[in-house]
Amino acid sequence: MVAMTVEFPALTLILLFPALGVLFNLFLGHRSGRGAVNVVGPAVMFASFAIASIAFVKLLAMPAGSALTAHLWGWIEAGRFHAEFGLRVDSLSGVMVMIVTGVGALIHLYSVGYMAHDEDFARFFTYMNLFALSMLILILADNLLMMFVGWEGVGLCSYLLIAFWYTNPQFAGNVDLYARSGFTVEREEPFKDGTVVHMRKPVQPERPALST
């Protein structure tokens, strides 16, 4: 059977749910209370996992090499250059989306208990939902520019989460150092060896010396 590419607009919901979680926790989290944040934060990830599961099952029913796409709008147009804001799921990205949404949902659920006694719970879940959103953009991007946006978002969220307790004197001494280090590594890795995605060259094993 011939591989095919099928338009699947529901892919946008995988990004929409965590994006709504970010907006809710950022603007309404503290006013709505801990209970609402504890529900919305994990719930948006479980909703994304449900849509990702539907897409994955649909992809399994298609011929090998097939993909699901969702084209939202034109993003950048300059002469002959054209980049769209679109999503694409193939066999590899489908597995990764299942991992990020599934494991991510469980991490969000665990975080409800982890942050049970912290007063800044809404900010924490804002960062967590944004982190998940950035990873999903990175995975689902159908072009390198959009993938780079997701990569930058992952770097930003790494900094924000590492430096979350910046006001705690017990951690303040090292938080800035580790956060800056994590952010810097995220910036450098994609461009090592002059490539967008860093790939190490395989080390060729040395040939044994011939005995005389």
Side-chain angles (χ1 to χ4, degrees):
M1 298 180 69
V2 180
M4 62 181 71
T5 300
V6 177
E7 188 76 10
F8 191 64
L11 290 178
T12 58
L13 296 176
I14 300 176
L15 300 184
L16 179 62
F17 287 127
L20 292 176
V22 171
L23 295 176
F24 175 85
N25 291 319
L26 179 62
F27 296 108
L28 301 175
H30 277 292
R31 282 185 287 178
S32 300
R34 187 184 297 274
V37 172
N38 288 347
V39 171
V40 172
V44 295
M45 291 305 303
F46 279 106
S48 288
F49 176 68
I51 301 300
S53 300
I54 294 172
F56 191 70
V57 170
K58 183 177 180 64
L59 189 63
L60 289 177
M62 297 167 64
S66 298
L68 301 175
T69 61
H71 297 285
L72 305 181
W73 59 78
W75 183 20
I76 301 175
E77 293 186 14
R80 296 182 179 180
F81 178 78
H82 176 71
E84 287 192 353
F85 195 92
L87 310 177
R88 179 184 177 88
V89 171
D90 53 22
S91 56
L92 176 59
S93 58
V95 172
M96 294 305 300
V97 168
M98 292 290 291
I99 293 173
V100 170
T101 55
V103 176
L106 296 178
I107 293 174
H108 279 68
L109 187 62
Y110 170 82
S111 298
V112 171
Y114 183 75
M115 297 297 291
H117 303 290
D118 197 294
E119 294 300 321
D120 215 359
F121 56 91
R123 180 165 64 93
F124 181 82
F125 277 101
T126 299
Y127 294 166
M128 289 288 287
N129 286 157
L130 183 60
F131 197 9
L133 175 62
S134 299
M135 286 191 289
L136 291 171
I137 292 175
L138 172 63
I139 295 169
L140 293 173
D142 73 344
N143 58 72
L144 289 176
L145 283 178
M146 188 175 167
M147 184 187 75
F148 186 71
V149 171
W151 184 275
E152 291 298 310
V154 169
L156 172 63
C157 293
S158 297
Y159 177 87
L160 294 175
L161 287 169
I162 294 172
F164 182 79
W165 285 287
Y166 67 94
T167 58
N168 190 326
Q170 182 180 355
F171 307 117
N174 294 323
V175 156
D176 188 61
L177 173 62
Y178 294 145
R180 288 177 183 271
S181 298
F183 188 77
T184 302
V185 169
E186 292 283 351
R187 305 286 67 67
E188 292 177 351
E189 282 297 317
F191 298 102
K192 286 184 179 180
D193 299 336
T195 57
V196 174
V197 179
H198 176 47
M199 301 179 63
R200 296 186 181 276
K201 296 180 180 180
V203 178
Q204 297 294 333
E206 296 183 0
R207 294 182 179 181
L210 298 176
S211 57
T212 55

